[in-house]
């Protein structure tokens, strides 16, 4: 009997990893319960989380690094009956898997789905969301097999990654007899199999990219599938945010339009991590009114959640600022101790770099043989490398794993004893998703958030209420972005000519965009009133949903010609320029050459004692001002801008200390970005009142800009790398000192708009974060930025607080807030 610990059943959850080993049928990914005597390695021995935490804080004066401990109580399961319409075969199969009765939230979702209601299940990790949508879907597909053609109903499943779709196919196979034909359809599906899938499969599992490029443009070949389409499952839908989410929203509208032409109207079932207002996000994503199921009725063991701030070191960074030990170094220490305690631990880090570094450090400190039970995992590894690592973690051969969030998608790792997060993962939604990997029923677990040296993390470990007493943030996407919408209108017109009846479906910008597309020679309006695609090439090929723009840069090892991985075109200038340090599987490489023509970065093995960080220059101009609000004399605006950025060189920083070793010039072309921005300006009188003379102004505005970029992710599901900023003492468009924060994607992603809508809370938190930092003159925890293209110069922390006070004094919340010190920031 196969079990799925993560998503199906409660009985399954009580079978701990200690008892799991690969199922003999297919080797890797399924697990069966076997007696412990079959075990060859020493199994992890879970200890009470309080005891683990005591170990971590003992000795070496570590106690003051613990800034807060939150005890999250265990939660009991609540069950509900199977709703009418769930077939006996499905119920029996679930019972086989240990699910006697669904949890209440699963039952509610099944009922809504059976009623044809668009529903989004937004509950925690391992709360059985899969069963919630699979039971109604598979029941209806089973009924469909009784139709004369054997395919009376079909369903489409969308996952953000191929790996997750593969995982889901296995889950479906466990719940239904083989006569419901489930099949993967993605870039790896062999051509001879594709025809079979189109003709016979009733449950097709794919990803939005394949739907966009492979299925919708070829819809006549999918006619019988689309005609019978009863359900569309959108799994992990919180990952459809920003530009990517906006693209996916338009792909789903194209799907709905084609279904309507074939006479079907599928019910959309969405599964999400816990987010604020999931119903609104589901509506934005699908264009349909949606009901949210948010009350999690699955059981949970107690979780001890610790907030941890690494100590200041003796080292000094840029401009003499004090430097904290990095979150990755601290995570390496904590991982070492936990592995020594025989505790199965995953460390989540924010970058590929950090994953490699944490694993290396723990391996070093543990020595042989324990060191060999720690590894790194991240997206960008080749499939075989990833599979081997996953297998070892499941089998228990691996005790410690340092991973980017790649692990969140498509890999089933739950029931861990401890989760470390080296740096805030950017959103509370991801924080809870990562922490949710720790713990299983009836047993406590430990989660530790280790602060990075930046304003947001510092703010959070000193304001636990911002994590534990604040609802998770909303998933932000903007399907109306014309840069996103335009290519989908072309793709839609190529699928079936657009008519006036389609205008509503694609949103309010559609009517203005169509004539523009006609002027550009992309669409042509014929006498029947329809808009037609006129080009020979495929319209769908003109857009990449992942929104990176341009083909990814391949990283190739000079000596062997081996492909190590890829980076996005947008990130290439800053991460794989000539001379950059690149890490792969614990090995260090130097970039010998970045060839922009062929999109190849040639790297060679090296062991430099430094990391590199790019320096750039940025200019910004206002194209349109869409909205403005006056805060007393100050003004806050939202609109469109053009940003021109050029990477001009890089700094070498010593690994251990962050100390600057030198700077090298680069000759790379400028890149232009048209996007959306929020900006604010103050008057000369306000500056005079705030005692900010002109020579202090650049440092004040620059520091306020950095910190505000750091804090925006508290209000929108972005991270600081999704947004950029520019501060100008006298901007030619506003004729005033102005600070801009912009979306780092063409056409915008909704983040700057969110900053504009929540400006008072956002800039208030920014002001409080700077004021509360214990450093004297600015440090990475407040106003220094790791991505500053100016080497963090000039920065004036004290003047930045006065500048923000001057700005906020006229905000609706009014004067007086300026005297607050922290705390008010939410
Ligand atoms: Zn500071
Ligand atoms: Zn800067």
């Amino acid at each position: 009997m196969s079990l799925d610990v993560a998503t199906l059943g409660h009985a399954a959850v009580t079978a701990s990893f200690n008892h799991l080993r690969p199922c003999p049928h297919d080797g890797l990914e399924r697990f069966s319960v076997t007696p412990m005597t079959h075990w060859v390695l020493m199994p992890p021995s879970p200890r009470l989380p309080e005891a683990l935490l005591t170990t971590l804080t003992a000795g070496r004066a570590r106690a003051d690094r613990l800034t807060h401990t939150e005890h999250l109580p265990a939660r009991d399961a609540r069950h509900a009956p199977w709703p009418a319409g769930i077939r006996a075969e499905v119920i029996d199969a679930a019972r086989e898997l240990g699910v006697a009765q669904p949890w209440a939230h699963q039952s509610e979702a099944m009922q809504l789905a059976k009623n044809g209601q668009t529903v989004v299940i937004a509950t925690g990790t391992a709360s059985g969301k899969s069963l919630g949508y699979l039971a109604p879907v598979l029941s209806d597909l089973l009924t469909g097999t009784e139709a004369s053609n054997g395919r009376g109903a079909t369903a489409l499943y969308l996952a953000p990654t191929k790996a997750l779709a593969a995982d889901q196919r296995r889950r479906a196979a466990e719940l239904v007899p083989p006569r419901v034909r489930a099949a993967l359809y993605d870039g790896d599906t062999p051509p001879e199999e594709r025809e079979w899938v189109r003709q016979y499969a009733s449950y097709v599992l794919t990803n939005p990219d394949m739907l966009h490029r492979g299925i919708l443009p070829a819809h006549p070949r999918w006619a019988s599938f689309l005609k019978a389409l009863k359900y569309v499952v959108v799994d992990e839908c919180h990952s459809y945010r920003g530009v990517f989410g906006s693209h996916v929203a338009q792909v789903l509208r194209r799907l709905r339009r084609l279904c309507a032409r074939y006479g079907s109207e599928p019910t959309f079932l969405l599964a999400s991590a816990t987010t604020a207002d999931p119903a609104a996000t589901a509506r934005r994503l699908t264009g349909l009114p949606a009901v949210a199921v948010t009350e999690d009725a699955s059981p949970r063991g107690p979780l001890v959640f610790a907030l941890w701030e690494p100590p200041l070191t003796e080292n000094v960074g840029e401009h003499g600022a004090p430097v904290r030990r990095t979150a990755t170094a601290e995570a390496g220490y904590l991982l070492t101790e936990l592995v020594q305690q025989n505790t199965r631990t995953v460390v989540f880090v924010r970058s590929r770099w950090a994953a490699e570094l944490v694993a290396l450090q723990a391996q070093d400190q543990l020595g042989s043989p324990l060191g060999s039970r720690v590894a790194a995992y991240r997206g960008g590894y080749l499939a075989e490398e990833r599979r081997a690592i996953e297998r070892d973690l499941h089998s228990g051969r691996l005790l410690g794993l340092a991973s980017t969030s790649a692990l969140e998608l498509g890999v089933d790792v739950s029931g861990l004893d401890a989760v470390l997060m080296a740096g805030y993962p950017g959103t509370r939604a991801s924080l809870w998703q990562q922490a949710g990997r720790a713990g299983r029923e009836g047993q406590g677990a430990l989660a530790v958030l280790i602060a990075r040296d930046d304003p947001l993390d510092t703010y959070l470990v000193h304001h636990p209420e911002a994590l534990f007493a604040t609802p998770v943030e909303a998933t932000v996407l903007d399907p109306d972005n014309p840069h996103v919408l335009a290519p989908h209108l072309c793709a839609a017109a190529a699928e079936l000519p657009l008519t006036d009846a389609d205008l509503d479906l694609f949103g309010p910008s559609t009517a203005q965009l169509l004539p523009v597309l006609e002027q550009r020679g992309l669409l042509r309006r014929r006498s029947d009133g329809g808009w037609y695609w006129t080009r020979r090439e495929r319209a769908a090929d003109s857009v990449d949903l992942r929104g990176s723009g341009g083909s990814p840069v391949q990283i190739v090892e000079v000596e062997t010609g081996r492909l190590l991985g890829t980076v996005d075109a947008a990130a290439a200038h800053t991460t794989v320029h000539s001379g950059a340090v690149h890490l792969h599987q614990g090995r260090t490489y130097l970039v010998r050459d970045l060839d922009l023509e062929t999109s190849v970065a040639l790297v060679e093995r090296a062991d430099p004692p430094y990391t590199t960080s790019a320096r750039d220059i940025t200019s910004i101009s206002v194209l349109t001002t869409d909205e403005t609000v006056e805060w007393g004399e100050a003004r806050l605006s939202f609109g469109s801008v053009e940003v021109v950025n050029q990477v001009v060189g890089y700094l070498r920083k010593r690994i251990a200390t962050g100390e600057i070793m030198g700077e090298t010039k680069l000759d790379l072309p400028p890149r232009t970005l048209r996007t959306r921005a929020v900006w604010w300006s103050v008057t000369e009188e306000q500056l005079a009142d705030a005692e900010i003379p002109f020579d202090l102004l650049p440092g004040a505005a620059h520091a306020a800009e950095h910190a505000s970029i750091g804090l925006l992710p508290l209000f929108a599901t972005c991270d600081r790398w999704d947004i950029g900023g520019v501060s100008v003492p006298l901007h030619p468009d506003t004729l005033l000192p102005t600070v801009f924060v912009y979306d780092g994607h063409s056409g915008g992603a909704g983040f700057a708009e969110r900053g504009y809508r929540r400006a008072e809370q956002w800039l208030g938190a920014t002001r409080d974060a700077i004021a509360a930092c214990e450093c004297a003159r600015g440090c990475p925890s407040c106003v220094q930025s790791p991505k500053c293209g100016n080497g963090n110069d000039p920065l004036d922390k004290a003047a930045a607080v006065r500048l923000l006070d001057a700005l906020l004094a006229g905000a609706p919340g009014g004067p007086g807030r300026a005297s607050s010190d922290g705390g008010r920031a939410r």
Side-chain angles (χ1 to χ4, degrees):
M1 181 184 73
S2 296
L3 285 181
D4 180 332
V5 178
T7 55
L8 286 180
H10 358 121
V13 178
T14 56
S16 77
F17 267 116
N18 304 358
H19 307 111
L20 299 176
R21 70 183 180 107
C23 174
H25 305 302
D26 57 3
L28 323 186
E29 293 97 354
R30 288 156 71 180
F31 296 86
S32 56
V33 178
T34 57
M36 273 194 70
T37 46
H38 287 205
W39 200 257
V40 280
L41 292 161
M42 185 172 64
S45 63
R47 298 179 52 195
L48 288 175
E50 286 83 1
L52 282 177
L53 193 55
T54 308
T55 314
L56 296 182
T57 48
R60 291 193 244 168
R62 295 230 204 100
D64 28 320
R65 300 184 197 171
L66 184 65
T67 61
H68 180 81
T69 309
E70 187 85 8
H71 293 267
L72 301 156
R75 181 179 59 211
D76 292 332
R78 275 189 303 114
H79 293 98
W82 293 96
I86 304 300
R87 303 255 311 202
E89 295 94 324
V90 174
I91 295 174
D92 289 346
R95 204 164 273 143
E96 275 283 291
L97 295 170
V99 182
Q101 251 201 336
W103 292 316
H105 64 275
Q106 293 173 319
S107 173
E108 186 189 351
M110 293 173 198
Q111 184 65 64
L112 288 162
K114 287 297 296 177
N115 295 347
Q117 170 68 54
T118 300
V119 56
V120 52
I121 317 171
T123 51
T125 313
S127 63
K129 292 185 281 256
S130 304
L131 184 62
Y133 58 73
L134 273 175
V137 167
L138 296 176
S139 293
D140 284 3
L141 294 184
L142 264 172
T143 305
T145 61
E146 290 150 16
S148 55
N149 67 353
R151 195 162 74 154
T154 60
L156 184 69
Y157 168 93
L158 296 173
T161 66
K162 283 193 274 189
L164 185 61
D167 202 43
Q168 281 295 316
R169 185 183 57 168
R170 286 190 293 277
R171 255 161 227 178
E174 289 169 350
L175 270 181
V176 289
R179 70 175 192 273
V180 169
R181 291 178 294 246
L184 286 174
Y185 192 85
D186 60 31
D188 298 339
T189 310
E192 61 275 15
E193 222 173 286
R194 294 188 177 197
E195 182 55 28
W196 184 91
V197 175
R198 287 191 289 265
Q199 292 303 320
Y200 301 108
S202 53
Y203 190 39
V204 172
L205 300 100
T206 186
N207 53 65
D209 312 77
M210 195 65 185
L211 179 61
H212 157 66
R213 262 181 219 283
I215 297 177
L216 298 179
H219 63 90
R221 302 161 83 183
W222 288 85
S224 69
F225 179 87
L226 292 173
K227 195 168 167 223
L229 192 60
K230 185 105 200 260
Y231 292 105
V232 177
V233 177
V234 185
D235 204 0
E236 303 278 338
C237 70
H238 57 277
S239 56
Y240 302 129
R241 62 179 186 86
V243 171
F244 179 42
S246 310
H247 276 298
V248 173
Q250 293 299 351
V251 173
L252 294 181
R253 282 158 179 73
R254 281 163 51 202
L255 171 66
R256 284 179 47 211
R257 187 174 81 112
L258 290 177
C259 285
R261 297 294 175 95
Y262 286 105
S264 65
E265 195 183 336
T267 301
F268 281 73
L269 309 179
L270 301 93
S272 168
T274 45
T275 60
D277 210 352
T281 306
R283 190 177 58 235
R284 248 186 164 182
L285 197 56
T286 61
L288 294 164
V291 173
V293 173
T294 55
E295 194 93 357
D296 195 334
S298 66
R300 180 179 71 188
L303 182 69
V304 173
F305 204 132
L307 303 183
W308 191 277
E309 184 171 48
L312 288 171
T313 62
E314 301 288 295
N315 304 319
V316 291
E318 286 180 356
H319 316 295
V323 175
R324 283 185 198 283
R325 175 174 305 138
T326 65
T328 42
E330 193 78 348
Y333 283 113
L334 297 182
L335 175 62
T336 302
E337 302 238 339
L338 289 168
V339 168
Q340 278 167 346
Q341 300 290 321
N342 212 20
T343 305
R344 193 189 302 259
T345 306
V346 165
V347 184
F348 287 107
V349 293
R350 292 286 308 264
S351 68
R352 298 176 168 197
W353 267 95
E356 309 276 6
L357 283 172
V358 167
L360 262 184
Q361 188 192 339
Q363 286 160 356
D364 261 18
Q365 286 162 357
L366 288 162
S368 178
L370 263 188
S372 67
R373 295 177 72 180
V374 172
Y377 174 104
R378 58 165 170 75
Y381 277 7
L382 302 173
E384 314 83 82
E385 290 174 321
R386 295 211 322 261
R387 284 292 155 197
I389 290 170
E390 288 165 24
R391 197 167 54 232
D392 288 348
L393 190 70
H394 279 296
S395 76
R397 196 196 73 72
L398 275 180
L399 274 176
L401 186 68
S403 171
T404 59
S405 63
L407 193 59
E408 279 179 33
L409 299 174
V411 185
D412 170 21
V413 179
S414 299
L416 297 159
D417 302 313
V419 167
L420 305 176
M421 289 163 273
Y424 180 57
T427 61
R428 284 178 292 269
S430 325
L431 179 90
W432 289 114
Q433 205 181 30
Q434 297 187 348
R437 302 285 170 185
R440 41 186 179 260
E441 191 177 5
Q443 196 173 293
L446 175 68
V448 184
L449 171 63
I450 306 163
R452 278 181 311 165
D453 207 359
D454 78 23
L456 181 55
D457 285 32
T458 307
Y459 179 83
L460 290 173
V461 292
H462 292 289
H463 292 82
E465 75 283 357
L467 291 175
F468 300 112
T470 307
V472 287
E473 52 286 276
T475 304
V476 172
L477 61 143
D478 179 14
D480 296 331
N481 173 347
H483 292 258
V484 170
L485 177 57
H488 288 289
L489 290 176
C490 293
E495 284 151 15
L496 279 176
L498 283 164
T499 66
D500 289 343
D502 297 319
L503 295 183
D504 278 352
L505 176 68
F506 288 103
S509 327
T510 311
Q512 294 119 42
L513 262 178
L514 288 172
V516 176
L517 295 171
E518 185 172 34
Q519 273 164 25
R520 285 194 217 149
L522 297 168
L523 298 183
R524 186 181 305 145
R525 187 155 214 193
R526 299 233 177 108
S527 50
D528 62 2
W531 300 86
Y532 288 76
W533 172 249
T534 58
R535 304 282 189 98
R536 195 170 283 174
E537 63 267 25
R538 281 162 41 101
D541 290 345
S542 70
V543 54
D544 171 12
L545 302 191
R546 309 279 165 170
S548 54
S551 51
V553 170
Q554 302 192 308
I555 301 166
V556 175
E557 190 177 33
V558 174
E559 295 89 334
T560 61
R562 193 163 71 101
L563 175 65
L564 297 182
T566 60
V567 293
D568 284 352
H573 287 210
T574 44
T575 58
V576 290
H577 55 76
S578 301
V581 174
H582 176 76
L583 277 183
H584 179 79
Q585 269 293 14
R587 299 202 176 102
T588 314
Y589 295 84
L590 269 178
V591 178
R592 188 198 277 178
D593 185 41
L594 169 61
D595 186 339
L596 294 171
E597 292 286 305
T598 56
S599 293
V600 168
L602 289 173
V603 302
E604 57 197 354
R605 286 294 303 278
D607 218 359
Y610 56 84
T611 63
T612 48
S613 77
R615 299 198 59 168
D616 59 20
I617 48 176
T618 304
S619 65
I620 191 164
S621 50
V622 175
L623 300 175
T624 60
T625 305
D626 294 1
E627 290 186 45
T628 289
V629 56
E630 316 261 330
W631 283 1
E633 290 175 49
R635 293 169 76 96
L636 186 84
S637 302
F638 168 66
S640 296
V641 295
E642 182 175 274
V643 183
V644 179
N645 174 273
Q646 186 171 22
V647 173
V648 293
Y650 64 94
L651 299 174
R652 295 188 307 283
K653 295 186 184 176
R654 198 176 295 281
I655 287 175
T657 63
E659 176 197 344
I660 309 282
M661 298 169 65
E663 182 178 351
T664 308
K665 297 244 176 294
L666 288 170
D667 182 26
L668 285 163
R671 296 168 61 92
T672 300
L673 174 72
R674 287 188 167 211
T675 186
R676 310 283 273 164
V678 51
W679 63 91
W680 50 271
S681 14
V682 293
T683 60
E684 277 175 42
E685 293 74 37
Q686 286 181 300
L687 291 176
D689 290 347
E691 295 174 15
I692 303 173
F694 201 75
D695 59 321
L696 293 192
L697 178 60
H702 190 200
E705 171 220 318
H706 277 187
S708 69
I709 290 173
L711 269 293
L712 184 56
L714 206 50
F715 302 92
T717 49
C718 58
D719 72 32
R720 72 190 293 165
W721 304 91
D722 284 330
I723 45 184
V726 183
S727 53
V728 194
L730 182 65
H731 194 273
D733 294 323
T734 61
L735 302 174
L736 288 169
T738 307
V739 174
F740 293 84
V741 172
Y742 59 86
D743 287 336
H745 306 275
S746 288
F751 306 132
E753 179 178 359
R754 182 91 180 154
Y756 179 76
R757 308 266 170 243
R758 299 291 304 279
E760 189 173 357
Q761 292 86 350
W762 165 44
L763 295 167
T766 302
R767 181 262 171 218
D768 291 344
I770 304 174
C773 186
E774 64 200 271
C775 73
R777 297 180 49 245
C779 73
S781 298
C782 55
V783 297
Q784 291 190 345
S785 163
K787 54 180 261 191
C788 182
N790 248 355
N792 281 305
D793 183 49
L795 289 176
D796 190 319
K797 176 182 171 180
V801 174
R802 297 203 298 278
L803 178 62
L804 287 163
D805 280 341
L807 170 71
L808 288 158
R817 76 154 323 288
S819 62
S820 81
D821 187 18
R824 283 202 49 182
R826 289 168 301 116

